[in-house]
Amino acid sequence: MENVCQLTLSLSELNGIDPKAYLRHVLTHIADHQINRIDELLPSNVADQLTKKAD
């Protein structure tokens, strides 16, 4: 499970998203999200909704 979390946070960084903002977004939305649409919460799919990571 730890590797999955690390991979997901790394993907958020690769998409230019602040990992904390991404994690906050997912934890806020996952409870009400349909399981067959879980891919909508991937970093690449929510990048435009989140604050971009400052370089």
Side-chain angles (χ1 to χ4, degrees):
M1 182 65 170
E2 182 179 339
N3 290 338
V4 172
C5 293
Q6 289 175 342
L7 175 63
T8 304
L9 293 177
S10 294
L11 286 174
S12 69
E13 288 182 335
L14 287 173
N15 282 284
I17 303 169
D18 177 19
K20 290 180 185 178
Y22 174 69
L23 188 57
R24 189 178 316 113
H25 176 81
V26 169
L27 293 176
T28 301
H29 291 90
I30 200 164
D32 298 324
H33 211 77
Q34 294 179 0
I35 190 66
N36 61 339
R37 293 174 41 195
I38 202 70
D39 61 309
E40 294 174 359
L41 294 177
L42 290 173
S44 58
N45 295 334
V46 299
D48 59 336
Q49 300 173 36
L50 300 175
T51 305
K52 296 292 181 176
K53 184 179 150 193
D55 290 328

